[in-house]
Coordinates of all heavy atoms in Angstrom, one line a residue:
I1 N 13.2 -6.3 -2.3 CA 12.1 -7.3 -2.4 C 12.5 -8.4 -1.4 O 13.7 -8.7 -1.2 CB 12.0 -7.8 -3.8 CG1 11.5 -6.7 -4.7 CG2 11.2 -9.1 -3.9 CD1 11.2 -7.1 -6.1
P2 N 11.5 -9.0 -0.7 CA 11.8 -10.0 0.3 C 12.4 -11.2 -0.3 O 12.3 -11.5 -1.5 CB 10.4 -10.3 0.9 CG 9.5 -9.8 -0.1 CD 10.1 -8.7 -0.8
P3 N 13.0 -12.0 0.5 CA 13.7 -13.2 0.0 C 12.8 -14.3 -0.5 O 13.2 -15.2 -1.2 CB 14.6 -13.7 1.2 CG 13.9 -13.1 2.4 CD 13.3 -11.8 1.9
R4 N 11.5 -14.3 -0.1 CA 10.6 -15.3 -0.5 C 9.2 -14.8 -0.8 O 8.9 -13.6 -0.4 CB 10.5 -16.5 0.5 CG 10.3 -16.0 1.9 CD 10.5 -17.1 2.9 NE 9.9 -18.3 2.4 CZ 9.7 -19.5 3.1 NH1 10.1 -19.5 4.3 NH2 9.2 -20.5 2.6
V5 N 8.4 -15.6 -1.3 CA 7.0 -15.2 -1.6 C 6.1 -15.7 -0.6 O 6.1 -16.9 -0.3 CB 6.6 -15.6 -3.0 CG1 5.1 -15.3 -3.3 CG2 7.5 -15.0 -4.1
Y6 N 5.2 -14.9 0.0 CA 4.3 -15.3 1.1 C 2.8 -15.3 0.5 O 2.5 -14.3 -0.1 CB 4.4 -14.4 2.3 CG 5.7 -14.5 3.0 CD1 6.6 -13.4 2.9 CD2 6.1 -15.6 3.7 CE1 7.8 -13.4 3.6 CE2 7.4 -15.7 4.3 CZ 8.2 -14.6 4.3 OH 9.4 -14.6 4.9
A7 N 2.0 -16.2 0.9 CA 0.6 -16.2 0.6 C -0.1 -15.2 1.5 O -1.1 -14.6 1.2 CB 0.0 -17.6 0.8
D8 N 0.4 -15.0 2.8 CA -0.2 -14.1 3.7 C 0.6 -12.8 3.6 O 1.8 -12.7 4.0 CB 0.0 -14.7 5.1 CG -0.5 -13.7 6.2 OD1 -1.0 -12.6 5.9 OD2 -0.4 -14.1 7.4
Y9 N 0.0 -11.8 3.1 CA 0.6 -10.5 2.8 C 1.2 -9.8 4.1 O 2.1 -9.1 4.0 CB -0.3 -9.5 2.1 CG -1.4 -8.9 2.9 CD1 -1.2 -7.8 3.6 CD2 -2.6 -9.6 3.0 CE1 -2.2 -7.2 4.4 CE2 -3.6 -9.0 3.8 CZ -3.4 -7.9 4.5 OH -4.4 -7.3 5.2
T10 N 0.6 -10.1 5.3 CA 1.1 -9.5 6.5 C 2.6 -10.0 6.8 O 3.2 -9.3 7.6 CB 0.2 -9.8 7.7 OG1 0.2 -11.2 7.9 CG2 -1.2 -9.3 7.4
R11 N 3.0 -11.1 6.3 CA 4.4 -11.5 6.5 C 5.4 -10.6 5.9 O 6.6 -10.7 6.2 CB 4.5 -13.0 6.0 CG 3.5 -13.9 6.6 CD 3.9 -15.1 7.4 NE 5.3 -15.4 7.6 CZ 5.8 -16.6 7.3 NH1 5.0 -17.5 6.8 NH2 7.0 -16.9 7.6
Y12 N 5.0 -9.8 5.0 CA 5.9 -8.8 4.3 C 6.2 -7.6 5.1 O 7.0 -6.7 4.8 CB 5.3 -8.4 3.0 CG 5.3 -9.4 1.9 CD1 4.1 -9.8 1.3 CD2 6.4 -10.0 1.4 CE1 4.0 -10.8 0.3 CE2 6.4 -10.9 0.4 CZ 5.2 -11.3 -0.1 OH 5.2 -12.3 -1.1
R13 N 5.5 -7.4 6.2 CA 5.6 -6.2 7.1 C 7.0 -5.7 7.3 O 7.3 -4.6 7.0 CB 4.8 -6.4 8.4 CG 4.6 -5.2 9.2 CD 3.7 -5.6 10.4 NE 3.4 -4.4 11.2 CZ 2.3 -3.7 11.0 NH1 1.4 -4.1 10.1 NH2 2.0 -2.6 11.7
P14 N 7.9 -6.5 7.8 CA 9.3 -6.0 8.1 C 10.0 -5.6 6.8 O 10.7 -4.6 6.8 CB 10.0 -7.2 8.7 CG 9.2 -8.4 8.4 CD 7.8 -7.9 8.2
F15 N 9.7 -6.2 5.7 CA 10.4 -5.9 4.4 C 9.8 -4.5 3.9 O 10.5 -3.7 3.4 CB 10.2 -6.9 3.4 CG 10.7 -8.3 3.8 CD1 9.8 -9.3 4.2 CD2 12.0 -8.5 4.0 CE1 10.2 -10.5 4.6 CE2 12.5 -9.8 4.4 CZ 11.6 -10.8 4.7
L16 N 8.5 -4.4 4.0 CA 7.9 -3.1 3.6 C 8.4 -1.9 4.4 O 8.7 -0.9 3.9 CB 6.3 -3.2 3.7 CG 5.7 -4.2 2.7 CD1 4.3 -4.5 3.1 CD2 5.8 -3.6 1.3
R17 N 8.4 -2.1 5.7 CA 8.9 -1.0 6.6 C 10.3 -0.6 6.1 O 10.6 0.6 6.0 CB 9.0 -1.5 8.0 CG 7.6 -1.6 8.6 CD 7.7 -2.1 10.1 NE 8.3 -1.1 10.9 CZ 9.2 -1.4 11.8 NH1 9.6 -2.6 12.1 NH2 9.7 -0.4 12.5
R18 N 11.2 -1.6 5.9 CA 12.6 -1.3 5.5 C 12.6 -0.6 4.1 O 13.2 0.4 3.9 CB 13.4 -2.5 5.5 CG 14.8 -2.3 5.0 CD 15.5 -3.6 4.6 NE 14.9 -4.1 3.4 CZ 14.7 -5.3 3.1 NH1 15.2 -6.3 4.0 NH2 14.1 -5.7 2.0
D19 N 11.8 -1.2 3.1 CA 11.9 -0.7 1.8 C 11.3 0.7 1.6 O 11.7 1.5 0.8 CB 11.2 -1.7 0.8 CG 12.0 -2.9 0.6 OD1 13.1 -3.0 1.0 OD2 11.4 -3.9 0.0
F20 N 10.3 1.0 2.5 CA 9.8 2.4 2.5 C 10.5 3.3 3.5 O 10.0 4.4 3.8 CB 8.2 2.3 2.8 CG 7.5 1.9 1.6 CD1 7.1 0.6 1.4 CD2 7.1 2.8 0.6 CE1 6.4 0.2 0.3 CE2 6.4 2.4 -0.5 CZ 6.1 1.1 -0.7
Q21 N 11.6 2.9 4.0 CA 12.5 3.6 4.9 C 11.7 4.1 6.1 O 11.9 5.2 6.6 CB 13.1 4.8 4.1 CG 14.0 4.3 3.0 CD 14.7 5.4 2.2 OE1 14.4 6.5 2.4 NE2 15.6 5.0 1.4
Y22 N 10.8 3.3 6.6 CA 10.0 3.5 7.8 C 9.1 4.8 7.7 O 8.8 5.4 8.6 CB 10.9 3.6 9.0 CG 11.8 2.4 9.1 CD1 13.1 2.4 8.6 CD2 11.3 1.2 9.6 CE1 13.9 1.3 8.6 CE2 12.1 0.1 9.7 CZ 13.4 0.1 9.1 OH 14.2 -1.0 9.2
R23 N 8.7 5.1 6.4 CA 7.9 6.3 6.1 C 6.6 5.8 5.4 O 6.6 4.8 4.7 CB 8.6 7.3 5.2 CG 9.8 7.9 5.9 CD 10.5 8.9 5.0 NE 11.6 9.5 5.7 CZ 11.5 10.5 6.5 NH1 10.3 11.0 6.8 NH2 12.6 11.0 7.1
C24 N 5.6 6.6 5.6 CA 4.3 6.4 4.9 C 4.5 6.6 3.4 O 5.1 7.7 3.0 CB 3.2 7.3 5.4 SG 1.7 7.2 4.5
A25 N 4.1 5.7 2.6 CA 4.3 5.8 1.1 C 3.5 7.1 0.6 O 4.0 7.6 -0.4 CB 3.7 4.6 0.4
Y26 N 2.5 7.5 1.2 CA 1.7 8.6 0.7 C 2.1 10.0 1.3 O 2.3 10.9 0.6 CB 0.2 8.4 0.9 CG -0.3 7.1 0.3 CD1 -0.8 6.0 1.0 CD2 -0.1 6.9 -1.1 CE1 -1.2 4.9 0.4 CE2 -0.5 5.8 -1.7 CZ -1.1 4.7 -1.0 OH -1.4 3.6 -1.6
C27 N 2.1 10.1 2.6 CA 2.4 11.4 3.2 C 3.9 11.6 3.6 O 4.3 12.7 4.0 CB 1.5 11.7 4.4 SG 1.8 10.7 5.9
L28 N 4.7 10.5 3.5 CA 6.1 10.5 3.8 C 6.5 10.8 5.3 O 7.7 11.0 5.6 CB 6.9 11.5 2.9 CG 6.7 11.2 1.4 CD1 7.5 12.2 0.6 CD2 7.2 9.8 1.0
I29 N 5.5 10.7 6.2 CA 5.8 10.9 7.6 C 6.5 9.7 8.1 O 6.2 8.5 7.8 CB 4.5 11.1 8.4 CG1 3.7 12.3 7.9 CG2 4.7 11.1 9.9 CD1 4.0 13.6 8.6
H30 N 7.6 9.9 8.9 CA 8.3 8.8 9.5 C 7.5 8.1 10.5 O 6.7 8.7 11.2 CB 9.6 9.3 10.1 CG 10.6 8.2 10.4 ND1 10.5 7.4 11.6 CD2 11.6 7.7 9.7 CE1 11.4 6.5 11.6 NE2 12.2 6.7 10.5
E31 N 7.6 6.8 10.6 CA 6.7 6.0 11.5 C 6.9 6.4 12.9 O 6.0 6.2 13.8 CB 6.9 4.5 11.3 CG 8.2 4.0 11.8 CD 8.3 2.5 11.6 OE1 7.7 1.9 10.7 OE2 9.0 1.9 12.4
Y32 N 8.0 7.0 13.3 CA 8.2 7.5 14.6 C 7.1 8.4 15.0 O 6.6 8.4 16.2 CB 9.6 8.2 14.7 CG 9.8 8.9 16.1 CD1 10.3 8.2 17.1 CD2 9.5 10.3 16.2 CE1 10.5 8.8 18.4 CE2 9.7 10.9 17.5 CZ 10.2 10.2 18.5 OH 10.4 10.8 19.7
Y33 N 6.6 9.2 14.1 CA 5.6 10.3 14.4 C 4.1 9.7 14.3 O 3.2 10.4 14.6 CB 5.7 11.4 13.4 CG 7.0 12.1 13.6 CD1 8.1 12.0 12.7 CD2 7.2 13.0 14.7 CE1 9.3 12.6 12.9 CE2 8.5 13.6 14.9 CZ 9.5 13.4 14.1 OH 10.7 14.0 14.3
F34 N 4.0 8.5 13.8 CA 2.6 7.9 13.8 C 2.5 6.7 14.7 O 1.6 5.8 14.6 CB 2.0 7.7 12.4 CG 2.8 6.8 11.5 CD1 2.8 5.4 11.6 CD2 3.5 7.4 10.4 CE1 3.5 4.6 10.7 CE2 4.1 6.6 9.5 CZ 4.1 5.2 9.6
G35 N 3.4 6.6 15.7 CA 3.3 5.5 16.7 C 4.2 4.3 16.5 O 3.9 3.3 17.0
G36 N 5.2 4.5 15.6 CA 6.1 3.4 15.4 C 5.4 2.3 14.5 O 4.4 2.5 13.9
E37 N 5.9 1.1 14.6 CA 5.4 0.0 13.8 C 3.9 -0.2 14.1 O 3.1 -0.5 13.2 CB 6.2 -1.3 14.0 CG 5.7 -2.4 13.2 CD 6.4 -3.7 13.4 OE1 7.4 -3.8 14.2 OE2 6.1 -4.7 12.7
A38 N 3.5 -0.1 15.3 CA 2.1 -0.4 15.7 C 1.2 0.6 15.1 O 0.0 0.3 14.9 CB 2.0 -0.3 17.2
G39 N 1.7 1.8 14.7 CA 0.8 2.8 14.1 C 0.8 2.7 12.6 O 0.1 3.5 11.9
G40 N 1.5 1.8 12.0 CA 1.6 1.6 10.6 C 0.6 0.6 10.1 O 0.0 -0.2 10.8
A41 N 0.4 0.6 8.8 CA -0.5 -0.4 8.1 C 0.1 -0.7 6.8 O 0.8 0.0 6.1 CB -1.9 0.2 8.0
I42 N -0.4 -1.9 6.3 CA 0.0 -2.3 4.9 C -1.2 -1.9 4.0 O -2.3 -2.4 4.3 CB 0.2 -3.8 4.8 CG1 1.4 -4.2 5.7 CG2 0.5 -4.2 3.4 CD1 1.7 -5.7 5.8
D43 N -1.0 -1.1 3.0 CA -2.0 -0.7 2.1 C -1.9 -1.5 0.8 O -0.7 -1.8 0.3 CB -1.9 0.8 1.7 CG -2.9 1.2 0.7 OD1 -4.1 1.0 1.0 OD2 -2.6 1.7 -0.4
H44 N -3.0 -1.9 0.2 CA -3.0 -2.5 -1.1 C -3.3 -1.4 -2.1 O -4.4 -0.8 -2.1 CB -4.1 -3.6 -1.2 CG -3.9 -4.8 -0.3 ND1 -4.2 -4.8 1.0 CD2 -3.3 -6.0 -0.6 CE1 -3.8 -6.0 1.5 NE2 -3.3 -6.7 0.6
F45 N -2.2 -1.0 -2.8 CA -2.4 0.1 -3.8 C -3.6 -0.2 -4.7 O -4.5 0.7 -4.8 CB -1.1 0.3 -4.6 CG -1.2 1.5 -5.5 CD1 -1.3 2.8 -5.0 CD2 -1.2 1.3 -6.9 CE1 -1.4 3.9 -5.8 CE2 -1.3 2.4 -7.7 CZ -1.4 3.7 -7.2
R46 N -3.6 -1.3 -5.4 CA -4.9 -1.7 -6.1 C -5.7 -2.4 -5.0 O -5.2 -3.5 -4.5 CB -4.5 -2.6 -7.2 CG -3.9 -1.9 -8.4 CD -4.8 -0.9 -9.1 NE -6.1 -1.4 -9.5 CZ -6.4 -1.7 -10.7 NH1 -5.6 -1.6 -11.7 NH2 -7.7 -2.2 -11.0
P47 N -6.8 -2.0 -4.7 CA -7.6 -2.5 -3.6 C -7.9 -4.0 -3.8 O -8.1 -4.5 -4.9 CB -8.9 -1.7 -3.5 CG -8.6 -0.5 -4.4 CD -7.5 -0.8 -5.3
R48 N -8.0 -4.7 -2.7 CA -8.4 -6.1 -2.7 C -9.9 -6.3 -2.5 O -10.4 -7.4 -2.7 CB -7.6 -7.0 -1.7 CG -7.9 -6.5 -0.3 CD -6.9 -7.2 0.7 NE -7.1 -6.7 2.0 CZ -7.1 -7.4 3.1 NH1 -6.9 -8.6 3.0 NH2 -7.3 -6.8 4.2
N49 N -10.6 -5.2 -2.1 CA -12.0 -5.2 -1.9 C -12.7 -4.1 -2.6 O -12.0 -3.2 -3.1 CB -12.4 -5.1 -0.4 CG -11.8 -6.3 0.4 OD1 -12.0 -7.4 0.0 ND2 -11.1 -6.0 1.4
G50 N -14.0 -4.0 -2.7 CA -14.7 -2.9 -3.3 C -15.0 -3.2 -4.8 O -14.8 -4.2 -5.3
A51 N -15.6 -2.1 -5.4 CA -16.1 -2.2 -6.8 C -15.0 -2.5 -7.8 O -15.3 -3.2 -8.8 CB -16.8 -0.9 -7.1
F52 N -13.8 -2.1 -7.5 CA -12.7 -2.3 -8.5 C -11.6 -3.2 -7.9 O -10.4 -3.0 -8.1 CB -12.2 -0.9 -9.0 CG -13.2 -0.1 -9.5 CD1 -13.8 0.9 -8.8 CD2 -13.7 -0.3 -10.8 CE1 -14.8 1.7 -9.3 CE2 -14.7 0.5 -11.3 CZ -15.3 1.5 -10.6
A53 N -12.1 -4.2 -7.1 CA -11.2 -5.0 -6.4 C -10.3 -5.8 -7.3 O -10.6 -6.2 -8.4 CB -12.0 -6.0 -5.5
R54 N -9.0 -6.0 -6.8 CA -8.1 -6.9 -7.5 C -7.6 -7.9 -6.5 O -6.4 -7.8 -6.0 CB -6.9 -6.1 -8.0 CG -7.2 -5.2 -9.3 CD -7.5 -6.1 -10.5 NE -6.5 -7.1 -10.8 CZ -5.4 -6.8 -11.6 NH1 -5.2 -5.6 -12.1 NH2 -4.5 -7.8 -11.8
P55 N -8.4 -8.9 -6.1 CA -8.0 -9.9 -5.1 C -6.8 -10.7 -5.5 O -6.0 -11.2 -4.7 CB -9.2 -10.7 -4.9 CG -10.1 -10.5 -6.0 CD -9.7 -9.1 -6.5
D56 N -6.5 -10.8 -6.8 CA -5.4 -11.5 -7.3 C -4.1 -10.8 -6.9 O -3.0 -11.4 -7.0 CB -5.4 -11.6 -8.8 CG -5.5 -10.3 -9.6 OD1 -6.4 -9.5 -9.2 OD2 -4.7 -10.1 -10.5
L57 N -4.1 -9.6 -6.5 CA -2.9 -8.8 -6.1 C -2.7 -8.7 -4.6 O -1.9 -8.0 -4.1 CB -2.9 -7.4 -6.7 CG -3.0 -7.3 -8.2 CD1 -3.1 -5.8 -8.7 CD2 -1.8 -8.0 -8.8
E58 N -3.6 -9.5 -3.9 CA -3.6 -9.4 -2.4 C -2.2 -9.6 -1.8 O -1.8 -8.9 -0.9 CB -4.6 -10.3 -1.8 CG -4.6 -10.3 -0.3 CD -5.7 -11.1 0.3 OE1 -6.4 -11.8 -0.4 OE2 -5.8 -11.1 1.6
S59 N -1.4 -10.5 -2.3 CA -0.1 -10.9 -1.7 C 1.0 -10.6 -2.7 O 2.1 -11.1 -2.5 CB -0.1 -12.3 -1.3 OG -1.0 -12.5 -0.2
V60 N 0.8 -9.7 -3.6 CA 1.9 -9.4 -4.6 C 2.6 -8.2 -4.0 O 2.1 -7.1 -3.8 CB 1.3 -9.0 -6.0 CG1 2.4 -8.5 -6.9 CG2 0.6 -10.2 -6.6
Y61 N 3.9 -8.4 -3.7 CA 4.7 -7.4 -3.0 C 4.7 -6.0 -3.6 O 4.6 -5.0 -2.9 CB 6.2 -7.9 -2.9 CG 7.0 -7.1 -1.9 CD1 6.9 -7.3 -0.6 CD2 7.9 -6.2 -2.4 CE1 7.6 -6.6 0.3 CE2 8.6 -5.4 -1.5 CZ 8.5 -5.6 -0.1 OH 9.2 -4.9 0.8
E62 N 4.7 -6.0 -4.9 CA 4.7 -4.7 -5.6 C 3.4 -3.9 -5.5 O 3.4 -2.7 -5.8 CB 5.0 -4.9 -7.1 CG 6.5 -5.3 -7.4 CD 6.7 -6.8 -7.1 OE1 5.7 -7.6 -7.0 OE2 7.8 -7.3 -7.1
N63 N 2.4 -4.5 -5.0 CA 1.1 -3.9 -4.7 C 0.9 -3.5 -3.3 O -0.1 -2.9 -2.9 CB -0.1 -4.8 -5.2 CG -1.4 -4.1 -5.1 OD1 -1.5 -3.0 -5.7 ND2 -2.4 -4.7 -4.5
L64 N 1.9 -3.7 -2.4 CA 1.8 -3.5 -1.0 C 2.7 -2.3 -0.6 O 3.8 -2.2 -1.0 CB 2.3 -4.7 -0.2 CG 1.5 -6.0 -0.5 CD1 2.1 -7.2 0.2 CD2 0.0 -5.9 -0.2
Y65 N 2.1 -1.3 0.1 CA 2.8 -0.1 0.5 C 2.7 0.0 2.1 O 1.7 -0.3 2.6 CB 2.2 1.1 -0.1 CG 2.3 1.2 -1.6 CD1 1.7 2.2 -2.3 CD2 3.0 0.2 -2.3 CE1 1.8 2.3 -3.7 CE2 3.1 0.3 -3.7 CZ 2.5 1.3 -4.4 OH 2.6 1.4 -5.7
W66 N 3.8 0.5 2.6 CA 3.8 0.8 4.1 C 3.2 2.2 4.3 O 3.6 3.1 3.6 CB 5.2 0.7 4.6 CG 5.3 1.0 6.1 CD1 5.9 2.0 6.7 CD2 4.8 0.2 7.1 NE1 5.8 1.9 8.1 CE2 5.1 0.8 8.4 CE3 4.0 -1.0 7.1 CZ2 4.7 0.2 9.6 CZ3 3.6 -1.5 8.4 CH2 4.0 -0.9 9.6
T67 N 2.2 2.3 5.1 CA 1.5 3.6 5.3 C 1.2 3.8 6.7 O 1.2 2.9 7.6 CB 0.2 3.6 4.5 OG1 -0.7 2.6 5.1 CG2 0.3 3.3 3.0
C68 N 0.9 5.1 7.0 CA 0.4 5.4 8.3 C -1.1 5.0 8.3 O -1.7 4.9 7.2 CB 0.5 6.9 8.6 SG -0.5 8.1 7.6
S69 N -1.7 4.8 9.4 CA -3.1 4.3 9.5 C -4.0 5.4 8.9 O -5.0 5.0 8.3 CB -3.5 4.1 11.0 OG -2.7 3.0 11.5
E70 N -3.7 6.6 9.1 CA -4.6 7.7 8.6 C -4.7 7.6 7.0 O -5.8 7.7 6.5 CB -4.2 9.1 9.0 CG -5.1 10.2 8.6 CD -4.8 11.5 9.2 OE1 -3.9 11.6 10.1 OE2 -5.4 12.5 8.7
C71 N -3.6 7.6 6.4 CA -3.6 7.5 4.9 C -4.2 6.2 4.4 O -5.0 6.2 3.5 CB -2.1 7.6 4.4 SG -1.5 9.3 4.4
N72 N -4.0 5.1 5.1 CA -4.6 3.8 4.8 C -6.1 3.9 4.9 O -6.8 3.5 4.0 CB -4.0 2.7 5.7 CG -4.4 1.3 5.2 OD1 -5.2 1.2 4.3 ND2 -3.8 0.3 5.7
Q73 N -6.6 4.5 5.9 CA -8.0 4.7 6.1 C -8.6 5.6 5.1 O -9.7 5.4 4.6 CB -8.4 5.1 7.5 CG -8.1 4.0 8.5 CD -8.2 4.6 10.0 OE1 -8.6 5.7 10.2 NE2 -8.0 3.7 10.9
N74 N -7.9 6.7 4.8 CA -8.4 7.7 3.8 C -8.5 7.1 2.4 O -9.5 7.3 1.7 CB -7.6 8.9 3.8 CG -7.8 9.8 5.0 OD1 -8.8 9.8 5.6 ND2 -6.8 10.6 5.3
K75 N -7.5 6.3 2.0 CA -7.6 5.7 0.7 C -8.5 4.5 0.7 O -9.3 4.4 -0.3 CB -6.2 5.3 0.2 CG -6.2 4.7 -1.2 CD -4.9 4.2 -1.6 CE -5.0 3.3 -2.8 NZ -5.5 2.0 -2.5
S76 N -8.5 3.7 1.7 CA -9.4 2.6 1.9 C -9.4 1.7 0.6 O -8.4 1.4 0.0 CB -10.7 3.0 2.3 OG -11.6 2.0 2.6
D77 N -10.6 1.4 0.1 CA -10.8 0.6 -1.1 C -11.1 1.5 -2.3 O -11.6 1.0 -3.3 CB -11.9 -0.4 -0.9 CG -11.6 -1.5 0.2 OD1 -10.4 -1.8 0.3 OD2 -12.5 -1.9 0.8
T78 N -10.8 2.7 -2.2 CA -11.1 3.6 -3.3 C -10.2 3.4 -4.5 O -9.0 3.1 -4.4 CB -10.8 5.1 -2.9 OG1 -11.6 5.3 -1.7 CG2 -11.3 6.1 -3.9
W79 N -10.8 3.4 -5.7 CA -10.1 3.3 -7.0 C -10.9 3.9 -8.0 O -12.1 4.0 -7.9 CB -9.8 1.8 -7.3 CG -8.8 1.7 -8.3 CD1 -9.0 1.4 -9.7 CD2 -7.4 1.9 -8.2 NE1 -7.7 1.4 -10.3 CE2 -6.8 1.7 -9.4 CE3 -6.6 2.3 -7.1 CZ2 -5.4 1.9 -9.6 CZ3 -5.2 2.4 -7.3 CH2 -4.6 2.2 -8.6
S80 N -10.2 4.4 -9.0 CA -10.9 5.1 -10.1 C -11.7 4.2 -11.0 O -11.2 3.1 -11.4 CB -9.9 5.9 -11.0 OG -9.1 6.7 -10.2
S81 N -12.9 4.6 -11.4 CA -13.7 3.8 -12.3 C -13.0 4.0 -13.7 O -12.2 4.9 -13.9 CB -15.1 4.3 -12.4 OG -15.2 5.6 -12.9
S82 N -13.4 3.2 -14.7 CA -12.8 3.4 -16.0 C -13.2 4.8 -16.6 O -12.3 5.4 -17.3 CB -13.2 2.3 -17.0 OG -14.6 2.1 -17.0
H83 N -14.4 5.3 -16.3 CA -14.8 6.6 -16.7 C -13.9 7.7 -16.1 O -13.4 8.6 -16.7 CB -16.2 6.9 -16.4 CG -16.7 8.2 -16.8 ND1 -16.9 8.6 -18.1 CD2 -17.0 9.3 -16.0 CE1 -17.3 9.9 -18.1 NE2 -17.4 10.3 -16.8
E84 N -13.7 7.6 -14.8 CA -12.9 8.5 -14.1 C -11.4 8.5 -14.6 O -10.8 9.5 -14.8 CB -12.9 8.3 -12.6 CG -14.2 8.5 -11.9 CD -14.3 8.0 -10.5 OE1 -13.7 6.9 -10.2 OE2 -14.9 8.7 -9.6
Y85 N -10.9 7.3 -14.8 CA -9.6 7.1 -15.3 C -9.4 7.8 -16.6 O -8.4 8.5 -16.9 CB -9.2 5.6 -15.3 CG -7.8 5.3 -15.6 CD1 -6.9 5.2 -14.6 CD2 -7.3 5.2 -16.9 CE1 -5.5 5.0 -14.8 CE2 -6.0 4.9 -17.2 CZ -5.1 4.8 -16.1 OH -3.8 4.6 -16.4
Y86 N -10.4 7.5 -17.5 CA -10.3 8.1 -18.8 C -10.3 9.7 -18.8 O -9.7 10.3 -19.6 CB -11.5 7.7 -19.6 CG -11.6 8.3 -21.0 CD1 -10.8 7.9 -22.1 CD2 -12.5 9.4 -21.2 CE1 -10.9 8.4 -23.3 CE2 -12.6 9.9 -22.5 CZ -11.8 9.5 -23.5 OH -11.9 10.1 -24.8
N87 N -11.0 10.2 -17.8 CA -11.0 11.7 -17.6 C -9.9 12.2 -16.7 O -9.9 13.4 -16.4 CB -12.4 12.1 -17.0 CG -13.5 12.0 -18.0 OD1 -13.4 12.6 -19.1 ND2 -14.5 11.2 -17.7
G88 N -8.9 11.4 -16.5 CA -7.7 11.9 -15.8 C -7.7 11.8 -14.3 O -6.8 12.3 -13.6
F89 N -8.7 11.2 -13.7 CA -8.8 11.0 -12.3 C -8.3 9.7 -11.9 O -8.9 8.7 -12.1 CB -10.2 11.2 -11.8 CG -10.8 12.6 -12.0 CD1 -11.6 12.8 -13.1 CD2 -10.4 13.6 -11.2 CE1 -12.1 14.1 -13.3 CE2 -10.9 14.9 -11.4 CZ -11.8 15.1 -12.5
R90 N -7.1 9.7 -11.3 CA -6.4 8.4 -10.9 C -5.5 8.6 -9.8 O -5.2 9.8 -9.4 CB -5.7 7.8 -12.1 CG -4.7 8.7 -12.8 CD -4.2 8.2 -14.1 NE -5.3 8.4 -15.1 CZ -5.0 8.7 -16.3 NH1 -3.8 8.7 -16.8 NH2 -6.0 8.9 -17.2
F91 N -5.1 7.6 -9.2 CA -4.1 7.6 -8.1 C -2.7 7.7 -8.6 O -2.4 6.9 -9.5 CB -4.2 6.4 -7.1 CG -5.4 6.5 -6.2 CD1 -6.6 5.9 -6.6 CD2 -5.4 7.2 -5.0 CE1 -7.7 5.9 -5.7 CE2 -6.4 7.2 -4.2 CZ -7.6 6.6 -4.5
L92 N -2.0 8.6 -8.1 CA -0.6 8.7 -8.5 C 0.2 7.6 -7.7 O 0.1 7.5 -6.5 CB 0.0 10.1 -8.1 CG 1.5 10.3 -8.4 CD1 1.7 10.2 -9.9 CD2 1.9 11.6 -7.9
D93 N 0.9 6.8 -8.4 CA 1.6 5.7 -7.7 C 2.9 6.3 -7.2 O 3.8 6.6 -8.0 CB 1.9 4.6 -8.8 CG 2.5 3.4 -8.2 OD1 3.0 3.4 -7.0 OD2 2.5 2.3 -8.8
P94 N 3.1 6.3 -5.9 CA 4.3 6.9 -5.3 C 5.5 6.0 -5.6 O 6.7 6.4 -5.3 CB 4.0 7.0 -3.8 CG 2.9 6.0 -3.6 CD 2.2 5.9 -4.8
C95 N 5.3 4.8 -6.1 CA 6.5 3.9 -6.3 C 6.9 3.9 -7.8 O 7.7 3.3 -8.2 CB 6.2 2.5 -5.9 SG 5.9 2.4 -4.1

């Protein structure tokens, strides 16, 4: 966990890279293979936008994952509705 709390979640970037061992949280590809730091992205596990948005978690470190751009785009703001969740359709938290 980083030494301080930031209001701007992008300031966590170096800490996320280190904590995820420079790998995408979802596909586990090392960032070397997706273009290094420039090819990576910070994903909000619980989305900050969309129908099931949790903007209160936007800068909460435990909700931020280091990902490759492809996984980040594929997941996007997707989240299970309460009906889907009840029926067993949910995101597996890699952390």
Side-chain angles (χ1 to χ4, degrees):
I1 294 185
R4 51 188 319 187
V5 175
Y6 296 111
D8 176 5
Y9 73 90
T10 62
R11 306 242 353 237
Y12 290 119
R13 191 176 186 91
F15 304 107
L16 291 166
R17 290 178 66 223
R18 180 198 65 215
D19 288 350
F20 283 94
Q21 299 179 350
Y22 307 95
R23 295 181 178 278
C24 173
Y26 301 118
C27 69
L28 302 178
I29 301 267
H30 193 278
E31 69 178 30
Y32 173 85
Y33 297 103
F34 56 77
E37 181 180 1
I42 298 172
D43 179 59
H44 293 83
F45 183 67
R46 288 295 308 257
R48 61 189 174 139
N49 299 308
F52 303 100
R54 288 292 307 272
D56 58 310
L57 299 177
E58 180 174 3
S59 293
V60 175
Y61 192 77
E62 292 78 13
N63 189 51
L64 304 174
Y65 296 177
W66 183 243
T67 64
C68 67
S69 294
E70 185 174 350
C71 284
N72 191 348
Q73 289 171 3
N74 286 336
K75 181 180 166 289
S76 187
D77 294 329
T78 307
W79 196 255
S80 305
S81 68
S82 51
H83 176 72
E84 291 169 325
Y85 190 87
Y86 177 78
N87 287 305
F89 296 100
R90 54 193 78 145
F91 283 94
L92 179 64
D93 186 345
C95 294

